[in-house]
Structures are given as C-alpha cells and as structure tokens.
Amino acid sequence: MPQSAEKILDHAPLFREPEYRQMLAEKKLNFECPHPERLVTDQREYTKGWEYREKNLAREALVVNPAKACQPLGAVFAAAGFERTMSFVHGSQGCVAYYRSHLSRHFKEPSSAVSSSMTEDAAVFGGLKNMIDGLANTYSLYDPKMIAVSTTCMAEVIGDDLHGFIENAKSEGAVPPEFDVPFAHTPAFVGSHVDGYDSMVKGILEHFWKGKERTQAAGTINIIPGFDGFCVGNNREAKRLLDLMGVSYTFIQDASDQFDTPSDGEYRMYDGGTTINEVRAALNAQATLSLQHYNTRKTLEYCQEVEQATASFHYPLGIQATDEFLMKVSEISGKEIPETIRLERGRLVDAMADSQSWLHGKTYAIYGDPDFVYAMARFVMETGGEPRHCLATNGTAAWEAEMKALFAASHFGKDAKVWAGKDLWAMRSLLFTEPVDLLIGNSYGKYLERDTGTPLIRLMFPIFDRHHHHRFPLIGYQGGLRLMTTILDKIFDRLDRETMQTAVTDYSYDLTR
C-alpha cells in the first residue's frame, strides 16, 4: 500500500494511487448498479441545453443545493455577537453540531453552542425536562452572562413554548430568576438563516427593552450589521469609519472579536461582543441603522415601535452604497464626513479608472443572500461590468422587484435576470445556456466552476476551502478596493493560464497589463 509511517499522503494524492483507483472502480461496478457510460454521457450533455433548462427552472417540489441555510444557524451566529453569551439550541444534538461546524469551518475559530439534546422521548412528551437540565448545565459549566435560546424543527413541530419553559426552568432553580435568557422561535423548516438572525436579534432587544422608559439621546446611532461571513473585517471597517466621523454609536451584535481571537496563550470561549449594558442603553438611541435590510426586517419594525428612527441598506459596498450609508449617518449624527474619508473615496474612483479596460464589459453570475447579491450587482455595474444572473434562494418578491429596479436604472443592467427562490442546480443550467465571465458566491460554487468552467470568486458565507478571507473588509471604500483587486486577480490569473504555452499562446509576452 502507498500509505506507511514513513510516507504519509494527504487524502487527495492517496486516492490517486493504483490500489485505491481499483478499489473505487470495483465498488462502483459491484455496488452502485451503474448505467452504461454512454447513457450517462448523453444525459450529462442533455442537462447542459435549453430544453433541460426550462424543465429545471420549472421545478417546484424539489430543491437541489439551495444557496441558504436554516434559521437556527442565523440565531447561533447572532448570539455570538453579544458579551459572554452562550447560544442554547432547543433541539437535537446533531443539529447544533451542524451550526457549530458551519461557523467553525468558515471562520477557522471555535464556535460555542449547546443543545437541549432532545431525543425520541422528548419528541413525544415535550422538551421541558431537557430545557431545565440544559440551562442548569450551561449556567454552571460555561459561566455565561447571558444564554440565548433558539429552536430547531423538532421543538417547533411539537409546539414547545420557550417563554413558558424558561420561566419553569427559573422556578426550578436551573438559573437565577434575574439571569438573562432571551429567546427566539426559529423553525428550521421555513425561512432561512437571515430570518433566524433577525428573530434572535429582535428577541434580545425585546428582552432588554420591553417595558422600559426611553429617553432619546440626540445624535446617537445603533448599527446592526446583519448575518455576515465577513463580519471580522466589515465590522471593524464600519467602526473605523464611524470613529473617523466622531459619531456616538453602538454596534448591536458585533461578532468580529468572537471569530478572530488571538493566539496568545489564553483560551477565550467568549471574546468581545456588544455588552449587556450597551444593549440596555441602545434603547435611547435616536436611530437604528441596519447594514442589511433583509436580515433585520422584524428587528427594525420593533425599533420603530419604541419610537426610534430607522433606515436600512443593502450591504454598503462600493462607491454609491457607501456614500448613502455615510450621508445617512452624517444626517442623523450631525457630524461632517471628514477629508480623510473623502480621500479614500477618491482613491477607489481612481483605482476603478486605472483598471476600467479590464473590468468594462465583463459579465457576472452572482448568488447568495439578498442584500449581498444586490450590493454585488450594484458594485460590478459601477466598474462597467454586466450582471447576467442574480440568484437568491431566500430572495422574496420584494427583493426581486428591487433588483429589477436597480437594473432598469443602468445600461449595464439591461441583460440582467433575477432568480428569486432558485437554487444552485438552476444556476448550473443558466451558466451552460448563457455563459458568463465570472461567478461570485460561496464555496459551494466550486462544483459549478468545475462543471461549467466559470471562474469562481468566493465572497459569500460559507467559505470552507480558502482561509482568512473574512478578516478583510468588503464594505466601505477600502473594502471596495480590496474587492476590485480580488476580481482583477481572478481575471489576470485566468489570462495567465490561457497564455502560458511557449511560442503558441504566449506571443504577446504580456508582463505588463
């Protein structure tokens, strides 16, 4: 065998060895009941055409590789943005393992969350005992300042009442009566992770604000970033801009430190996050701004109920989107946008002009969360690019209308199509029948890249197969510069691969571009 103590191979080269090739071939022949290779090849080619595309896009009862996750994942991520908060998921242990692994694999950091470990008996008799024992264990073992409770499918199907269960747990002494245990119902069989995020943030604000008297502090602003796989870089960039302006603000749900803990000899189960005192004081803010509208619809409605001014954005990425965000902050806070930020804007405009010959006319397929897809499409049009396919599995009819209005306002959007509710198997048909230059999304797009030959740029959660992207910002002018550089690198890398055959394709000796 090729594997030995003296010769340790990674799984990729290991399975290329003759012994493993033979083993896999025999497995396929003897246990998979394969169709003849010619039939498989013919069917594969058929799925690349227009006839199959029409059948594919007409699917209603089946979803294949959706570009979204379930609600509790968003709730777990939301809880991670608050001071010493342990996420408690009322459901089965396996579900929580999925949320933790998803976040850990993306951020390359431990993601702490616990479960009430519901099994068959809890599904029949209810999960109250699991809740009481689980809260007691969480409080005593992990020393949190707050426990944020969400639900999975099982708890929602049987109708467990979180408010009642938490009150029962407190009366049983599982946690002290005054201990903060906000909650959100997050059924995994409807909505997506952005809805779970929204429900949990609203649940936490409501827990601390309900019944309290509000005294408005003029010029103060709450910022809610939304579910963002780039929160480490983006939150810090947003705070840098706000600090440069001298704004009085509170970042609600700040997970930037939690998912970027230093290696300095001290283990941190919790790090950073919006403090409980900050959450309480945030009731008095003049306004609450959301950086992602579709992540915070319920939360902003609640902020309006407590008489705060509200505004939302679609991921302030690029020139116009960042302009709008900063001008709104300036309007509310009364602070001027300083010369330092104005110069950053001018440098991004200059960089776009420097590279316009390479970016102009490039075509894109973009998928991901609704706010990100909107922001990304808007940005590529600023560079002279042309969005062709914009897909959000968790996109709504309202999002689709906003996207169409965005494209109608620009010559570069004239050929763009919007696909709300579609999945990545539908994207495959779109890429084969109407090819584009670049694909933008998350790591799951690598299979589309291999299948269709469309170069993938990873800019959406989750990114499993690359490291440290999330540590750098996408939002703001600095984020726009990094994003544009990422796109250009992909264009130039592909050009290099296509012009590397000596004396055949390298005729222009294109060292300078």
Side-chain angles (χ1 to χ4, degrees):
M1 295 294 284
Q3 191 81 293
S4 68
E6 290 73 33
K7 181 184 178 184
I8 304 295
L9 297 179
D10 182 64
H11 75 281
L14 179 66
F15 289 130
R16 298 191 194 112
E17 296 291 326
E19 296 92 332
Y20 286 95
R21 287 182 179 272
Q22 181 181 351
M23 179 188 73
L24 294 170
E26 290 177 354
K27 172 181 173 291
K28 181 177 181 179
L29 181 64
N30 296 324
F31 299 105
E32 295 182 10
C33 304
H35 290 285
E37 193 62 35
R38 175 62 184 273
L39 182 61
V40 173
T41 300
D42 289 346
Q43 188 64 27
R44 183 185 297 117
E45 292 304 310
Y46 171 70
T47 63
K48 298 177 182 179
W50 280 90
E51 182 180 352
Y52 179 78
R53 166 178 160 155
E54 296 307 313
K55 295 179 179 179
N56 191 6
L57 294 175
R59 274 185 296 119
E60 294 182 358
L62 174 69
V63 177
V64 183
N65 203 5
K68 67 171 185 175
C70 60
Q71 284 205 50
L73 175 68
V76 171
F77 175 81
F82 294 90
E83 176 192 22
R84 294 188 67 84
T85 297
M86 178 59 74
S87 185
F88 183 105
V89 184
H90 186 45
S92 70
Q93 208 165 12
C95 292
V96 181
Y98 156 59
Y99 314 138
R100 292 180 60 183
S101 65
H102 233 56
L103 293 169
S104 296
R105 289 168 180 170
H106 173 85
F107 289 108
K108 306 298 184 274
E109 293 281 347
S111 176
S112 298
V114 298
S115 163
S116 59
S117 299
M118 292 176 68
T119 53
E120 290 86 350
D121 59 340
V124 175
F125 300 109
L128 175 58
K129 185 177 185 303
N130 298 67
M131 175 72 74
I132 293 172
D133 292 344
L135 287 177
N137 289 337
T138 303
Y139 180 76
S140 61
L141 290 173
Y142 302 114
D143 190 29
K145 282 194 172 181
M146 180 165 72
I147 299 173
V149 180
S150 55
T151 53
T152 64
C153 298
M154 185 190 298
E156 290 294 330
V157 168
I158 65 177
D160 279 357
D161 173 19
L162 290 186
H163 175 70
F165 280 20
I166 292 167
E167 290 304 308
N168 270 287
K170 288 185 173 183
S171 67
E172 292 283 337
V175 295
E178 70 280 2
F179 187 78
D180 294 308
V181 188
F183 66 89
H185 285 276
T186 53
F189 46 79
V190 295
S192 73
H193 56 286
V194 302
D195 301 293
Y197 176 94
D198 191 9
S199 294
M200 180 52 76
V201 173
K202 180 194 174 187
I204 292 173
L205 295 185
E206 194 170 24
H207 172 83
F208 288 104
W209 293 0
K210 191 173 183 179
K212 301 296 190 299
E213 185 177 345
R214 179 171 179 268
T215 304
Q216 179 171 300
T220 58
I221 300 173
N222 296 327
I223 304 291
I224 306 177
F227 189 105
D228 186 5
F230 281 72
C231 67
V232 172
N234 280 344
N235 289 8
R236 291 171 181 169
E237 177 63 12
K239 287 187 281 187
R240 185 186 70 86
L241 292 170
L242 295 170
D243 288 340
L244 285 172
M245 291 179 66
V247 175
S248 175
Y249 67 91
T250 297
F251 235 83
I252 302 289
Q253 199 279 315
D254 180 11
S256 56
D257 290 340
Q258 179 65 33
F259 290 120
D260 190 29
T261 57
S263 183
D264 58 2
E266 177 189 349
Y267 171 68
R268 298 167 174 82
M269 178 171 283
Y270 314 101
D271 201 17
T274 310
T275 69
I276 290 174
N277 287 336
E278 287 174 334
V279 177
R280 288 193 175 103
L283 172 64
N284 300 320
Q286 178 178 333
T288 293
L289 306 184
S290 166
L291 303 190
Q292 297 192 66
H293 170 75
Y294 289 100
N295 287 245
T296 52
R297 287 164 288 179
K298 293 179 182 177
T299 303
L300 290 186
E301 286 177 5
Y302 179 66
C303 292
Q304 291 168 3
E305 288 176 16
V306 300
E307 299 182 345
Q308 289 181 352
T310 62
S312 59
F313 304 89
H314 297 302
Y315 211 75
L317 183 162
I319 293 172
Q320 188 174 354
T322 304
D323 288 352
E324 291 171 356
F325 170 64
L326 294 178
M327 287 190 290
K328 175 58 72 173
V329 169
S330 177
E331 173 191 328
I332 295 170
S333 67
K335 303 290 186 178
E336 294 292 327
I337 300 172
E339 178 70 5
T340 305
I341 295 178
R342 192 189 70 81
L343 290 173
E344 289 181 13
R345 182 186 191 277
R347 289 172 186 135
L348 176 56
V349 174
D350 179 67
M352 284 182 172
D354 292 342
S355 303
Q356 58 84 27
S357 60
W358 292 102
L359 296 169
H360 186 274
K362 288 291 184 291
T363 56
Y364 297 81
I366 306 166
Y367 67 90
D369 290 341
D371 293 292
F372 171 81
V373 175
Y374 185 99
M376 196 67 233
R378 192 181 196 185
F379 177 77
V380 300
M381 289 194 295
E382 287 183 336
T383 68
E386 300 177 17
R388 291 291 170 82
H389 308 298
C390 291
L391 183 150
T393 308
N394 48 359
T396 63
W399 171 79
E400 185 174 354
E402 280 195 284
M403 293 294 295
K404 289 180 178 179
L406 174 69
F407 295 139
S410 171
H411 170 78
F412 297 109
K414 61 182 176 63
D415 295 319
K417 296 183 178 66
V418 185
W419 306 98
K422 300 302 180 182
D423 52 36
L424 294 188
W425 188 248
M427 179 64 87
R428 178 181 181 271
S429 285
L430 300 175
L431 294 177
F432 271 126
T433 52
E434 295 181 277
V436 296
D437 295 313
L438 295 164
L439 174 66
I440 295 176
N442 60 27
S443 284
Y444 290 101
K446 71 187 301 177
Y447 302 106
L448 294 173
E449 181 179 37
R450 291 176 179 180
D451 202 5
T452 68
T454 312
L456 170 67
I457 300 174
R458 294 161 175 81
L459 293 171
M460 254 305 295
F461 178 90
I463 299 176
F464 294 151
D465 57 342
R466 297 292 186 272
H467 288 208
H468 309 304
H469 288 214
H470 63 277
R471 300 179 193 272
F472 301 93
L474 297 180
I475 67 170
Y477 305 123
Q478 297 282 35
L481 183 59
R482 170 176 162 73
L483 178 53
M484 186 174 65
T485 303
T486 301
I487 295 172
L488 287 165
D489 282 350
K490 182 64 74 169
I491 293 170
F492 294 142
D493 285 344
R494 186 177 196 185
L495 185 59
D496 283 340
R497 286 194 299 272
E498 293 173 348
T499 57
M500 64 191 304
Q501 192 173 356
T502 305
V504 178
T505 59
D506 68 343
Y507 49 84
S508 65
Y509 301 97
D510 46 359
L511 178 63
T512 303
R513 289 174 174 156

